[in-house]
Amino acid sequence: MNNQTNSPDIIVEITKSGNRLNAFDKDGTKYTGQITLGARRKAHAGGYPLGRFTNKSGNFYWRQVSSDMMGTTSHIPTASTSVEIPTDHTEVVNFIHNSFNLKPKGLVMKELKWKYLVRSAVRGKNIMMTGSAGCGKTMAAKSLVNSLDRPDYYFNLGATQDPRATLIGNTHFEEGKGTFFSDSLFVQAIQTPDAVILLDELTRAHPDAWNILMTVLDYGQRYLRLDEKAGQDTIKVAPGVTFIATANIGNEYTATRVLDKALMDRFTIVEMDLLTDEEEHGLLDYMFPHVDSDLLKSVATISHMTRINSTSDDARISGGVSTRTSVEMAGLLFDGFDLMEAAEVSIFPQYPNDGGVDSERTFVKQIVQKFVSDGSEEELFSEEEMSEATS
Ligand SMILES: Nc1ncnc2c1ncn2[C@@H]1O[C@H](COP(=O)(O)OP(=O)(O)OP(=O)(O)O)[C@@H](O)[C@H]1O
Ligand SMILES: [Mg+2]
């Protein structure tokens, strides 16, 4: 198969953090480990982005692309510093307990959870981030990867159609050369000592991917079976390699296959907590300092009330508004939409409309309505309702 492409599949910008030149795409995914230092230096000095291309043999290479191709960068915060991990025990303990300052400000996560995450990475555990939709799992995983000065690799397993090609490699045919096998990026990744490998959306992956990963993740085995490649049938995982996976496990995910028990057992679970309404308000204030803080508080409270209701005994809705949606709402307010308009395009479509006045959508509309003040008292919640909802 000829995989050569003329347009890049990934575009990165080179930024300096500490003494390191990192490469991030616009979603904040780091590609530093894939690009030579020389290329990163030149791009940084020249102030241009780099694009990833595929050559005839199916291998990646990076070269200069025009600045307009980068697009606008998203809100994914990157750590301002990245540091080497110490090896001496006292130093390791100090490192873990002083690691909270490596957490980017824009990521809301409890100190204990962050430290546990760092500790698991330092100790080479396989980490699985769990938690409901849009609560910061991917963001936390990427932030961790960015704050450790280690080679890193990103794989979105929820988006790959062909797990074998992604995790093992492809067989190619070329005239004169015959059939040959080219290793996947994953094969390179696991052979890189101390690499941090992010396996995003593992629960959405094809079961073939889980089978392939089973031996890789097993602490007692740690190898990848290359059944398609002649001559060499297994590849060892290099020392110090850490895996971080994210899961979407929760009852709102009917489409997600429940992760195989044996695979789940190979992970240390780090659960992302839902943000409290205060934490969420703080996040929105931090992200959108130019938007009226009371308005942002309404957004946080609306989301919070939906979450409370969806988990209560007499729930009227099947799920709560996620932090991702709250952030989207705030972005709409920033762009001049009013609260009702923002809710209409970002929240309501997530709730079914059937059942008329008893529908989930009607219920959520009623919640939002109470925050859309026309100056009259009765449109707002009573003190009692407010404290009930936010307690
Ligand atoms: N804890 C958090 N701190 C800061 N921002 C957050 C947090 N949770 C969610 N967000 C916001 O929501 C967006 C989505 O977060 P993220 O992609 O990490 O969610 P996720 O848990 O991986 O979701 P999914 O289950 O859909 O994969 C982020 O880009 C960020 O703007
Ligand atoms: Mg995610």
Side-chain angles (χ1 to χ4, degrees):
M1 198 176 65
N2 189 342
N3 261 345
Q4 190 164 25
T5 48
N6 293 320
S7 60
D9 63 339
I10 290 163
I11 297 167
V12 297
E13 214 161 43
I14 310 299
T15 53
K16 197 162 190 160
S17 57
N19 56 2
R20 209 170 151 81
L21 289 172
N22 281 319
F24 291 104
D25 73 2
K26 70 178 177 48
D27 295 325
T29 303
K30 194 166 145 191
Y31 290 94
T32 311
Q34 289 187 33
I35 309 170
T36 61
L37 179 61
R40 279 182 277 136
R41 270 205 191 118
K42 273 194 208 151
H44 187 256
Y48 55 79
L50 295 171
R52 188 173 82 172
F53 297 81
T54 310
N55 69 15
K56 267 195 193 148
S57 350
N59 295 322
F60 295 131
Y61 66 97
W62 296 81
R63 64 171 164 82
Q64 175 174 1
V65 294
S66 120
S67 295
D68 344 315
M69 292 180 80
M70 185 71 198
T72 50
T73 32
S74 80
H75 285 300
I76 300 265
T78 53
S80 50
T81 50
S82 64
V83 292
E84 302 254 349
I85 298 165
T87 42
D88 169 67
H89 183 246
T90 332
E91 279 180 50
V92 170
V93 172
N94 282 337
F95 175 76
I96 294 169
H97 293 277
N98 294 324
S99 67
F100 198 55
N101 59 12
L102 293 177
K103 181 188 76 64
K105 259 193 107 177
L107 168 70
V108 181
M109 196 172 173
K110 300 216 163 45
E111 181 163 0
L112 174 63
K113 284 283 164 75
W114 175 263
K115 288 203 291 203
Y116 183 48
L117 190 58
V118 171
R119 186 267 174 188
S120 304
V122 170
R123 288 297 180 208
K125 305 284 180 197
N126 304 323
I127 303 166
M128 169 75 81
M129 310 288 304
T130 65
S132 50
C135 70
K137 298 180 294 293
T138 299
M139 190 179 186
K142 285 183 175 174
S143 303
L144 173 72
V145 166
N146 292 346
S147 59
L148 303 175
D149 194 11
R150 286 166 56 173
D152 63 83
Y153 295 87
Y154 177 85
F155 300 90
N156 188 333
L157 296 177
T160 58
Q161 305 295 328
D162 185 352
R164 275 182 180 274
T166 307
L167 298 173
I168 298 175
N170 277 311
T171 308
H172 300 274
F173 179 80
E174 215 176 290
E175 215 150 313
K177 215 173 161 189
T179 310
F180 65 99
F181 186 85
S182 68
D183 293 339
S184 67
L185 181 64
F186 185 73
V187 170
Q188 282 178 38
I190 62 169
Q191 290 176 285
T192 310
D194 297 321
V196 187
I197 302 176
L198 216 154
L199 305 171
D200 208 5
E201 310 207 354
L202 182 60
T203 43
R204 282 180 219 260
H206 192 278
D208 277 356
W210 304 344
N211 287 331
I212 295 168
L213 289 171
M214 211 65 97
T215 55
V216 175
L217 294 166
D218 191 302
Y219 296 118
Q221 302 187 64
R222 291 295 226 189
Y223 64 79
L224 174 72
R225 191 183 295 283
L226 295 186
D227 46 12
E228 284 166 34
K229 191 175 180 179
Q232 185 185 15
D233 51 8
T234 62
I235 286 201
K236 272 206 170 72
V237 177
V241 171
T242 307
F243 293 92
I244 309 175
T246 72
N248 316 83
I249 302 174
N251 47 15
E252 69 266 45
Y253 281 103
T254 41
T256 305
R257 302 176 183 94
V258 175
L259 199 59
D260 187 271
K261 177 84 171 66
L263 188 58
M264 200 68 193
D265 267 354
R266 285 162 167 72
F267 285 99
T268 295
I269 307 291
V270 178
E271 189 187 21
M272 282 297 286
D273 303 303
L274 277 176
L275 271 54
T276 64
D277 52 342
E278 267 159 37
E279 285 170 334
E280 193 148 300
H281 183 205
L283 172 67
L284 300 181
D285 270 346
Y286 172 78
M287 291 182 75
F288 299 95
H290 301 296
V291 178
D292 177 43
S293 181
D294 288 338
L295 209 50
L296 295 177
K297 190 176 163 79
S298 300
V299 173
T301 313
I302 290 168
S303 300
H304 185 70
M305 290 175 80
T306 62
R307 288 173 206 158
I308 298 281
N309 181 279
S310 68
T311 53
S312 70
D313 289 341
D314 48 355
R316 294 274 314 269
I317 46 178
S318 48
V321 171
S322 69
T323 299
R324 176 187 282 124
T325 302
S326 292
V327 169
E328 269 163 27
M329 284 268 286
L332 287 163
L333 298 176
F334 179 60
D335 288 338
F337 291 80
D338 67 31
L339 193 62
M340 189 43 100
E341 289 170 338
E344 203 164 318
V345 291
S346 64
I347 299 185
F348 300 163
Q350 298 181 22
Y351 291 93
N353 207 1
D354 44 279
V357 289
D358 291 328
S359 72
E360 294 196 15
R361 194 175 294 185
T362 305
F363 181 76
V364 176
K365 268 185 193 169
Q366 283 164 352
I367 294 182
V368 176
Q369 202 82 54
K370 310 210 181 199
F371 290 86
V372 181
S373 166
D374 65 354
S376 71
E377 276 297 300
E378 59 199 344
E379 293 247 83
L380 298 169
F381 269 135
S382 69
E383 286 287 307
E384 200 185 317
E385 279 175 306
M386 282 301 269
S387 66
E388 205 173 274
T390 52
S391 62

